[in-house]
Amino acid sequence: MQALFRSSLRVSSNQASKYFSNSLSITSTRSVVFARNERIKGAIRDPEVILTSNGVRYGLNEENIKFVKSFLQSKSNGKYQLQDSLLLQVITHKSFAHGTQPYNEKLAYLGREILELIASKHAISQETSSAAAINNKNFDSLGSYCHRMITTDRLLTDFAISKGLSNIFFCRVALPNGKESPSYKPKGIFSTITSSLVGAIAAQHGMAAAEEFVETVVFEKVLKSVLKKAVNVEEVGSHK
Amino acid sequence: MSSAIVRLAGKKLVRNSLQSRNLIRNITSSAVTRSNNDSTSTTTTQKTHKFSYENAKKPISSTSSDLFTPENKLEFGSYQRKSTTLKVPDSEAKLIPSIITLHARLNLSSNYEHATLVRALTCPMEDNTYVDNQQMSLFGSSLLSFHVTEYLLSNYPRLPISILKNATEALIGDYSLYDVAKNSFGIEEDKTTNLEKFLSKEPRMFKFGKLRYDNFTNEVESGITKYNIDKPTSLKTATAYANSVRAIIAGIYAHDGAEASKQFIKDHILSRKIDISTMFQFNEPGKLLSRLLKTKKMESPVIRLISETGRNSNSPVFIVGCFSGDQMLSEGQGSSLKEARVRCSVNALKAYYLYSPLDAKLPSDEGFNGLFVDEGESFY
Amino acid sequence: MAGINFIPQVSRARNGIGAFITPCKKITLTYCNFGGSSKGMREFLSTRLKKISSNYPSIYFQVLLKPGFHPVLKAEYNNDLTKQICVRKWNVDVVENKLKLLINSSGKNLSKPKSLVKSMNSSVRGIWSPFHIDPNHRYKI
């Protein structure tokens, strides 16, 4: 037990000195033991370990939110700027620190609804000469492959990575074998950066601002990748 | 052809067991896919969600061969359905009594064409060449789910995401919209056969005033073993009715704009009664409460007895309160101490989750000034 | 969150909050061209129906000729129920009143209300509790 303590456990609280100076006089008072490296059953993880993601310590400071903040400032003269606490919430996934820190699930949920709606609005408001159009709005493209692709997790993740929003992202990504890898970016988790950013803009500046942001900033990149992906799919299809 | 074989096989097998029924269903589905492959249409497995309002937004896979796609994939205006070419003209739609009355009872504006209502009541069917509501209902469902989500998020910012989705489902799920369509809007479905229509001398156009869809039935009547092979277009009754409501709302967006559709949703959907407080089911309320207070950095909960009567009788009443430090979070009553304690914890949790700001403005409202953003609840 | 399950629910209509939709959707008026019992009905159809039907655009008025039968007003409602009133021998004013009765009806079957107030909402004031007053002032057995 002693060996275990010295190797992988850090003993906090006041009893620590007692343990090591005189191992025989262990008192019966309860002490908190934090496990640092590998998981040990029954031991509580060290908060320092939990609150660190990819070597970045969680906390509300300029260093952590600089990527998202500078990105928003560069668009429309900083029209979409958000509070620092909200920005930190945007780049925190619920997998981080057992969800004890404010996380972006609800913002992402709202943002995804907005993205889906605006993608549909974008599709039906294109110029059309179709006979089936209602008041010059052609619904026929909705649900098609390209229309659905606009709001897929993959493209939203690509957007977040290309704009550098995911450089600092607080999440806990576990591979199936239990190991963590910084290069593994699951799209289900990383797409929440984009969608929650949209949700946060809607929550702070209203739907009109969010709509403008999506159409001018997000779709600018996403529609290009839709075009690229759609061509690829066609080529693959023709080979078959 | 294949259906006859299946029906014969079904007659023998259906008495045996549930397992054999599944077998038959597998046979039928394989038969369907085989025939589809012959006609060069791809069938992809679609992800089905837990909630019907999410299913209403899922992609359309069967139309890949049906849809004309332009050279530039992003010219969404040039997409065109190949199979649905005919359209009931507005002048003829204005002669259908049920369409005129539906237009009046929904208080639609004069911009709203009667032909759009006809289209909204036409679900995709086999061998149907008239324009249908498939894509309209898709747009309507994303419009509905956005407006309902923003309403719930603004008014109940702390709802857990599962309850939020459940409340959305309660408002705009298939069963709710079925009730809206059938019992509020008074939409009727077209059940009569062509022969009955002919015999009753009903004008040809009148069928367009009713909801038309391929009915999804897999019921087995007593005495008759009947297996309908599902068509790719067949819908359940509730889904068909719900899609008509979604399509009507999409039509309002197309004719009168976003503001009118928002007002319509507010009047007809958000005005309906849901009771969110009865949607919760807590497994261990005491444990959840102490975890919640821990993450909010409050003192751990203490349950104290406030008042009691008849402890030794057969109908005692205990009133207990849940305290965090000096603050009383909630109160609970019960006929035993344990019951009162559990009720008390549940009340404290509900008081937290059902927090509702006064006069919350929605993000799409005029003069909106920020939303209360919840931190999300911690879990283990 | 772990530990919180949800219970499915379906929303309930509150007609009149937000939008009001007339529960009556179709009225069928039958008459006979010769029968004396249809006299009031015939007069109603020729003089008054046009004005009333234009006041209620949300209701589908259907006029049917049924030779040899008494005149009947039959109303269909949103909840799939129908109400019929036979207006044989009634004069034109009574026919109009009966028609308005059908139009304004909710379509529900008539029943004796068990309580004076019927509401989906719980009481705003709450239930009076004897446990929340000073024990000194409580009623002592």
Side-chain angles (χ1 to χ4, degrees):
Chain A
M1 193 65 188
Q2 275 296 315
L4 195 68
F5 269 85
R6 286 197 187 124
S7 64
S8 62
L9 299 184
R10 187 169 65 90
V11 180
S12 80
S13 85
N14 296 332
Q15 281 91 32
S17 56
K18 279 187 188 172
Y19 273 113
F20 292 104
S21 58
N22 184 6
S23 60
L24 290 171
S25 65
I26 294 175
T27 50
S28 61
T29 49
R30 195 176 163 195
S31 66
V32 181
V33 180
F34 296 129
R36 276 212 121 169
N37 296 327
E38 280 163 24
R39 273 188 172 263
I40 293 161
K41 203 176 175 187
I44 299 169
R45 298 277 282 179
D46 187 356
E48 285 299 318
V49 176
I50 288 171
L51 289 173
T52 308
S53 173
N54 276 337
V56 185
R57 175 72 165 80
Y58 180 85
L60 184 54
N61 52 41
E62 284 295 317
E63 190 61 27
N64 281 350
I65 56 170
K66 66 181 176 188
F67 291 107
V68 194
K69 200 170 189 179
S70 61
F71 170 71
L72 286 182
Q73 250 158 7
S74 65
K75 303 292 171 197
S76 303
N77 301 323
K79 188 187 166 187
Y80 312 116
Q81 274 188 59
L82 300 171
Q83 293 165 13
D84 289 357
S85 57
L86 203 55
L87 283 176
L88 186 66
Q89 191 172 345
V90 164
I91 53 167
T92 310
H93 188 252
K94 73 171 177 181
S95 59
F96 179 72
H98 305 305
T100 50
Q101 307 305 320
Y103 59 85
N104 65 8
E105 191 185 22
K106 259 175 227 171
L107 290 173
Y109 185 70
L110 178 64
R112 182 153 277 270
E113 293 289 341
I114 292 169
L115 278 166
E116 276 175 12
L117 180 62
I118 296 174
S120 299
K121 278 185 183 178
H122 174 84
I124 67 166
S125 59
Q126 304 275 312
E127 270 186 39
T128 179
S129 56
S130 167
I134 302 169
N135 198 13
N136 284 328
K137 290 187 169 60
N138 185 11
F139 286 94
D140 283 1
S141 63
L142 298 187
S144 67
Y145 183 74
C146 286
H147 169 252
R148 300 305 304 186
M149 203 146 74
I150 299 175
T151 51
T152 45
D153 285 343
R154 184 180 297 279
L155 294 192
L156 296 182
T157 307
D158 287 353
F159 174 82
I161 291 171
S162 70
K163 301 289 177 189
L165 304 178
S166 65
N167 289 355
I168 295 179
F169 182 46
F170 297 104
C171 65
R172 188 177 170 277
V173 180
L175 288 166
N177 57 10
K179 286 178 183 167
E180 294 178 24
S181 158
S183 61
Y184 177 56
K185 292 181 175 174
K187 54 187 193 301
I189 293 178
F190 277 70
S191 65
T192 62
I193 307 175
T194 314
S195 49
S196 64
L197 194 62
V198 173
I201 290 169
Q204 184 131 25
H205 301 297
M207 181 60 181
E211 209 164 334
E212 203 183 306
F213 176 79
V214 171
E215 275 179 355
T216 55
V217 183
V218 182
F219 280 4
E220 190 201 6
K221 160 113 183 51
V222 168
L223 288 179
K224 274 180 201 160
S225 7
V226 169
L227 212 52
K228 214 182 283 173
K229 290 249 159 61
V231 170
N232 289 342
V233 165
E234 214 166 56
E235 280 168 3
V236 169
S238 66
H239 285 305
K240 275 179 185 174
Chain B
M1 192 174 64
S2 59
S3 66
I5 299 161
V6 169
R7 215 169 286 150
L8 277 175
K11 220 168 192 176
K12 281 178 186 171
L13 284 168
V14 77
R15 297 196 195 99
N16 294 348
S17 65
L18 198 72
Q19 215 173 4
S20 62
R21 273 187 208 181
N22 290 336
L23 188 77
I24 297 158
R25 208 161 290 155
N26 288 341
I27 295 166
T28 56
S29 61
S30 65
V32 168
T33 45
R34 211 176 300 134
S35 64
N36 275 355
N37 285 342
D38 293 342
S39 60
T40 63
S41 75
T42 51
T43 47
T44 47
T45 49
Q46 284 186 352
K47 191 186 168 195
T48 47
H49 298 273
K50 193 180 272 175
F51 295 108
S52 60
Y53 79 94
E54 289 175 308
N55 283 329
K57 291 194 288 184
K58 71 186 176 186
I60 296 160
S61 64
S62 60
T63 51
S64 54
S65 63
D66 178 31
L67 194 69
F68 165 76
T69 33
E71 195 72 10
N72 180 3
K73 293 280 192 298
L74 293 180
E75 276 177 15
F76 291 113
S78 309
Y79 279 68
Q80 205 153 12
R81 295 272 300 278
K82 287 176 196 164
S83 63
T84 56
T85 46
L86 294 175
K87 202 177 168 186
V88 176
D90 197 36
S91 55
E92 282 189 44
K94 270 181 187 163
L95 300 175
I96 307 169
S98 54
I99 291 292
I100 303 167
T101 51
L102 184 61
H103 196 282
R105 62 178 46 229
L106 299 186
N107 213 358
L108 301 173
S109 77
S110 53
N111 299 334
Y112 200 108
E113 286 181 14
H114 291 70
T116 313
L117 271 184
V118 170
R119 184 175 174 178
L121 296 183
T122 311
C123 293
M125 285 174 288
E126 264 190 353
D127 308 327
N128 171 42
T129 45
Y130 284 89
V131 283
D132 59 38
N133 68 6
Q134 192 173 28
Q135 272 90 5
M136 282 177 82
S137 63
L138 208 73
F139 183 78
S141 61
S142 52
L143 203 62
L144 271 168
S145 71
F146 165 69
H147 281 297
V148 170
T149 303
E150 70 162 2
Y151 166 80
L152 289 173
L153 271 180
S154 321
N155 283 291
Y156 302 97
R158 280 181 184 154
L159 283 186
I161 210 95
S162 61
I163 306 288
L164 181 72
K165 283 187 176 180
N166 191 43
T168 314
E169 171 73 9
L171 280 168
I172 58 166
D174 280 356
Y175 291 113
S176 176
L177 291 185
Y178 168 74
D179 188 42
V180 171
K182 194 161 185 294
N183 300 331
S184 295
F185 292 0
I187 294 173
E188 287 174 21
E189 66 181 288
D190 188 22
K191 277 180 176 169
T192 52
T193 59
N194 284 341
L195 181 67
E196 283 167 332
K197 278 184 197 118
F198 176 75
L199 291 176
S200 66
K201 289 176 187 169
E202 191 187 87
R204 193 184 66 88
M205 293 305 290
F206 277 26
K207 71 173 180 186
F208 291 105
K210 290 175 179 171
L211 179 70
R212 300 183 305 138
Y213 65 100
D214 281 340
N215 202 344
F216 175 88
T217 44
N218 55 356
E219 290 164 17
V220 182
E221 291 173 36
S222 61
I224 305 164
T225 314
K226 178 181 153 192
Y227 276 96
N228 289 21
I229 295 179
D230 310 337
K231 298 168 192 167
T233 49
S234 47
L235 293 172
K236 285 178 181 166
T237 309
T239 317
Y241 272 97
N243 281 351
S244 72
V245 176
R246 290 169 186 140
I248 286 171
I249 289 167
I252 294 175
Y253 180 86
H255 285 298
D256 300 318
E259 203 53 43
S261 59
K262 186 186 167 190
Q263 189 60 38
F264 187 87
I265 291 168
K266 196 180 164 197
D267 287 348
H268 287 93
I269 311 291
L270 295 179
S271 66
R272 290 167 68 84
K273 167 83 178 170
I274 52 166
D275 193 359
I276 301 178
S277 70
T278 55
M279 286 179 187
F280 289 90
Q281 190 189 40
F282 299 106
N283 287 346
E284 290 160 303
K287 208 172 182 178
L288 286 176
L289 182 63
S290 60
R291 277 177 189 173
L292 183 70
L293 294 184
K294 195 179 170 191
T295 49
K296 298 294 162 199
K297 298 188 175 62
M298 288 168 76
E299 283 183 44
S300 51
V302 180
I303 310 280
R304 295 200 186 98
L305 188 62
I306 293 175
S307 178
E308 64 166 280
T309 181
R311 187 182 276 256
N312 295 326
S313 71
N314 71 348
S315 54
V317 176
F318 299 98
I319 309 280
V320 300
C322 176
F323 292 82
S324 166
D326 292 340
Q327 286 177 305
M328 188 164 95
L329 303 177
S330 68
E331 203 180 80
Q333 56 88 21
S335 56
S336 73
L337 281 169
K338 192 179 175 186
E339 187 193 346
R341 193 183 69 211
V342 171
R343 281 183 195 277
C344 189
S345 304
V346 167
N347 286 344
L349 284 168
K350 281 187 181 175
Y352 174 77
Y353 286 124
L354 290 171
Y355 160 73
S356 179
L358 287 175
D359 302 329
K361 280 208 164 182
L362 312 183
S364 60
D365 281 348
E366 284 287 316
F368 166 76
N369 52 356
L371 200 71
F372 175 89
V373 180
D374 180 44
E375 299 175 344
E377 66 276 2
S378 61
F379 54 93
Y380 290 88
Chain C
M1 186 182 178
I4 303 181
N5 296 339
F6 59 85
I7 302 164
Q9 213 176 72
V10 176
S11 61
R12 285 174 290 170
R14 287 189 287 196
N15 200 8
I17 295 181
F20 176 74
I21 295 176
T22 330
C24 182
K25 62 179 174 187
K26 184 181 176 186
I27 292 179
T28 314
L29 308 96
T30 60
Y31 71 103
C32 170
N33 257 337
F34 301 99
S37 64
S38 287
K39 190 167 172 282
M41 185 63 154
R42 284 199 297 269
E43 193 187 341
F44 175 79
L45 291 177
S46 55
T47 56
R48 301 193 188 175
L49 179 65
K50 200 173 180 186
K51 196 183 167 209
I52 289 182
S53 60
S54 61
N55 284 344
Y56 295 97
S58 60
I59 299 172
Y60 171 20
F61 291 90
Q62 190 181 29
V63 182
L64 281 181
L65 173 65
K66 270 196 140 187
F69 286 88
H70 289 307
V72 171
L73 300 173
K74 184 181 170 193
E76 288 174 29
Y77 296 91
N78 282 345
N79 56 3
D80 281 348
L81 283 179
T82 55
K83 285 184 183 177
Q84 301 173 40
I85 298 175
C86 179
V87 286
R88 66 184 268 272
K89 291 185 186 173
W90 286 119
N91 64 28
V92 63
D93 293 322
V94 180
V95 173
E96 185 180 339
N97 285 340
K98 293 294 178 194
L99 185 70
K100 283 184 175 166
L101 184 95
L102 289 176
I103 289 172
N104 294 329
S105 175
S106 73
K108 290 191 183 102
N109 284 328
L110 294 184
S111 63
K112 194 182 175 187
K114 283 181 180 169
S115 56
L116 292 174
V117 180
K118 210 177 161 188
S119 175
M120 289 181 196
N121 303 321
S122 52
S123 162
V124 177
R125 191 183 57 181
I127 307 164
W128 178 80
S129 155
F131 300 106
H132 290 81
I133 50 173
D134 191 341
N136 300 328
H137 301 299
R138 282 187 200 160
Y139 182 73
K140 292 198 177 58
I141 303 164

